[in-house]
Amino acid sequence: MPRKVTINYKKAKKVFKVDKMSDWEKVAEFLISKLKPGMVVALRGDLGAGKTTLTQYIAKQLGVSKRALSPTFALVKSYIVHCISYDGVKRMVHVDAYRIEDDRELLALDLDEELLMPGSVMILEWPERIEKWIAKQTELVQVDIRIT
Ligand SMILES: Nc1ncnc2c1ncn2[C@@H]1O[C@H](COP(=O)(O)OP(=O)(O)OP(=O)(O)O)[C@@H](O)[C@H]1O
Ligand SMILES: [Mg+2]
C-alpha cells in the first residue's frame, strides 16, 4: 500500500509519495541532505507505517554496515556512519520510544547525552511517547508517514 510522507523542517514542508519500497530512497536522500550533528528526525506514523523501513534506508545511505542493522529489542541503538560526505555526521542513534512509559524510563535512556556525543544525529520512532523531550529540541525534523 502506498504511503504519503510529509516532512516539516524550519517552516518548510515537503511531501513524498511512496508507492513502492525503492521510493523510500528519495525520502532518505532528502532527509540526509538536511542532517547535521545534534539533529533529531522524529518519525510519526501508525504501527507498520514504515518508520523502521525509512530508518534502514537512511542507515544504508549513511554507510552503516548491514550486520549492525540486525534487529534487537534495545530501545536505543547507535551506529558508526561510514560515509564521510555528510557534514560532520559520524554517528546515527536510532531510538524506538514505543515502550517508554514514564519519565524515569526516559531519563534512563540518556538521550541528551547520546545526542551530545560528537557528530551524532538521532532518528526517533514514536516521538509522541516523549513529547516533553521533543519540545526541547532545537534542530528538529518532523516526518509524518501515512498509509493511503
Ligand atoms: N511503500 C510500501 N509498500 C508496501 N509495503 C511497504 C511500503 N513501505 C513499507 N512497507 C512494508 O510495511 C512494513 C512497515 O514496517 P515498519 O517496521 O517499517 O513499520 P514501523 O512504522 O516501524 O512500525 P512500528 O510502529 O511497529 O515500529 C514493512 O513490512 C515494509 O516492508
Ligand atoms: Mg518500527
Side-chain angles (χ1 to χ4, degrees), residues 1-3 18-21 23-24 45-54 56 96 98 125-126 145:
M1 270 180 302
R3 270 76 170 158
V18 176
D19 293 326
K20 52 186 190 303
M21 285 300 269
D23 290 339
W24 286 111
D46 291 341
L47 286 166
K51 302 177 292 297
T52 302
T53 306
L54 176 55
Q56 283 165 347
D96 187 343
Y98 187 69
E125 296 187 47
W126 293 102
I145 306 172

Side-chain angles (χ1 to χ4, degrees), residues 3-102:
R3 270 76 170 158
K4 184 183 169 200
V5 181
T6 309
I7 298 174
N8 282 288
Y9 176 58
K10 289 195 188 295
K11 297 195 172 109
K13 180 172 145 175
K14 185 147 173 90
V15 179
F16 288 88
K17 264 193 82 197
V18 176
D19 293 326
K20 52 186 190 303
M21 285 300 269
S22 60
D23 290 339
W24 286 111
E25 272 166 28
K26 281 175 288 170
V27 184
E29 198 179 321
F30 177 81
L31 285 170
I32 287 171
S33 76
K34 305 292 174 204
L35 287 184
K36 52 183 169 186
M39 189 172 269
V40 177
V41 179
L43 306 181
R44 294 172 195 269
D46 291 341
L47 286 166
K51 302 177 292 297
T52 302
T53 306
L54 176 55
T55 304
Q56 283 165 347
Y57 275 89
I58 293 169
K60 200 166 122 195
Q61 278 184 41
L62 287 175
V64 169
S65 75
K66 261 225 181 84
R67 199 166 37 130
L69 289 170
S70 58
T72 74
F73 286 103
L75 270 48
V76 180
K77 288 161 274 186
S78 68
Y79 305 105
I80 309 272
V81 165
H82 288 290
C83 287
I84 52 165
S85 52
Y86 294 117
D87 229 2
V89 175
K90 297 193 201 98
R91 191 169 170 266
M92 177 186 132
V93 185
H94 178 204
V95 179
D96 187 343
Y98 187 69
R99 283 174 289 150
I100 297 177
E101 305 271 359
D102 53 37

